Amino acid sequence: ARESRRSSSGIPPRYMTAKFETFKAGSQDNALNKCKEYAEEYPVGEKPRGYRSLYLWSTNSWGTGKTHLASAICHCILDRWDGTGRLPYIIFTSEPDLFRRIQATYSYDFQEQRTKESESDIINQIASADLVVLDDVGKEPRSDMRFVRRTLFAIINARYDSQLPLVVTANLNPTGLKSHLDEPPTEASFNRFISMIKQKHIHMDGESYRKHE
């Protein structure tokens, strides 16, 4: 059951073996320790209502290990499940993949609309999962920012209202994330997310992790 849930979570194949034990020690030890603590304190076996969210970010560095650590969190939580209580339902998706998946529903003909997932189906699935990892937020420039912000608000607001955790990775500092989430001067999505992470975030600028893989 655990392995079936792991394979259907959306964790990319490259990161199916990306655990804390395989994360190379070095400049990101602080981030590694905080992510391990996050995964080890996660309330396995029950719906994690009220558990905090997490925000991993860098701005001037790419490939610093954010996706590896986000994947390792998922693996650790699943590995901690001992077969009793609730099997964690985890969804791992990148922002670009999520947007492409949603926008694909707009081109369905009438018959396809009756048999395939809709935009609301996708949002509801993400809203109800125990843990959601949204990777690479803001990675791909988009001209349709109204769609971006509307979609992200729907996700953040749903998980905020349900008191369910959301892990976000981004090459955006808090100021950049606020601009990505909300049309100034509004801060509806950003304020909710900051509340969800309890105003704590993990800064991961530094040497590229991928150079040593």
Side-chain angles (χ1 to χ4, degrees):
R2 180 192 294 116
E3 294 313 308
S4 175
R5 184 59 56 86
R6 195 191 311 273
S7 64
S8 65
S9 66
I11 297 172
R14 174 181 289 274
Y15 294 98
M16 274 298 174
T17 57
K19 300 191 177 185
F20 293 128
E21 296 78 10
T22 61
F23 191 84
K24 295 179 176 63
S27 63
Q28 300 297 343
D29 286 354
N30 179 59
L32 171 61
N33 291 333
K34 288 184 176 179
C35 288
K36 285 177 68 176
E37 180 183 81
Y38 181 86
E40 289 167 357
E41 292 181 353
Y42 178 96
V44 172
E46 60 186 81
K47 197 74 172 177
R49 297 198 190 279
Y51 194 62
R52 67 190 186 277
S53 295
L54 200 64
Y55 169 34
L56 311 176
W57 65 275
S58 60
T59 51
N60 301 313
S61 309
W62 288 262
T64 56
K66 296 186 294 296
T67 302
H68 185 133
L69 289 179
S71 301
I73 287 170
C74 300
H75 289 306
C76 180
I77 289 171
L78 287 170
D79 290 343
R80 287 181 53 222
W81 182 68
D82 63 3
T84 61
R86 184 180 181 84
L87 172 58
Y89 174 31
I90 296 173
I91 292 178
F92 190 114
T93 183
S94 70
E95 183 190 79
D97 285 346
L98 173 63
F99 290 162
R100 282 191 283 270
R101 183 180 166 194
I102 290 173
Q103 291 186 315
T105 68
Y106 301 163
S107 61
Y108 292 161
D109 59 29
F110 179 73
Q111 185 60 36
E112 288 174 319
Q113 289 175 11
R114 298 175 62 185
T115 59
K116 294 186 177 182
E117 64 181 6
S118 66
E119 178 177 11
S120 62
D121 290 334
I122 296 169
I123 297 297
N124 289 337
Q125 182 187 46
I126 292 174
S128 62
D130 294 343
L131 177 69
V132 171
V133 175
L134 189 57
D135 195 32
D136 287 333
V137 170
K139 181 177 182 179
E140 291 186 358
R142 300 184 67 98
S143 59
D144 50 347
M145 287 305 295
R146 290 183 63 185
F147 164 78
V148 169
R149 289 167 176 151
R150 172 176 61 81
T151 302
L152 294 178
F153 176 78
I155 291 169
I156 291 171
N157 186 61
R159 298 196 65 78
Y160 175 82
D161 286 347
S162 298
Q163 295 185 294
L164 293 171
L166 173 65
V167 175
V168 166
T169 79
N171 280 106
L172 297 169
N173 64 18
T175 300
L177 182 65
K178 180 166 65 175
S179 297
H180 183 69
L181 294 178
D182 296 300
E183 175 69 30
T186 62
E187 297 183 2
S189 293
F190 183 73
N191 278 346
R192 283 169 172 78
F193 184 61
I194 290 298
S195 174
M196 291 164 70
I197 64 172
K198 304 190 184 303
Q199 300 185 0
K200 295 180 180 179
H201 45 84
I202 302 175
H203 183 195
M204 291 185 63
D205 272 318
E207 184 180 4
S208 173
Y209 179 80
R210 293 194 190 106
K211 290 180 180 178
H212 302 286
E213 289 186 324

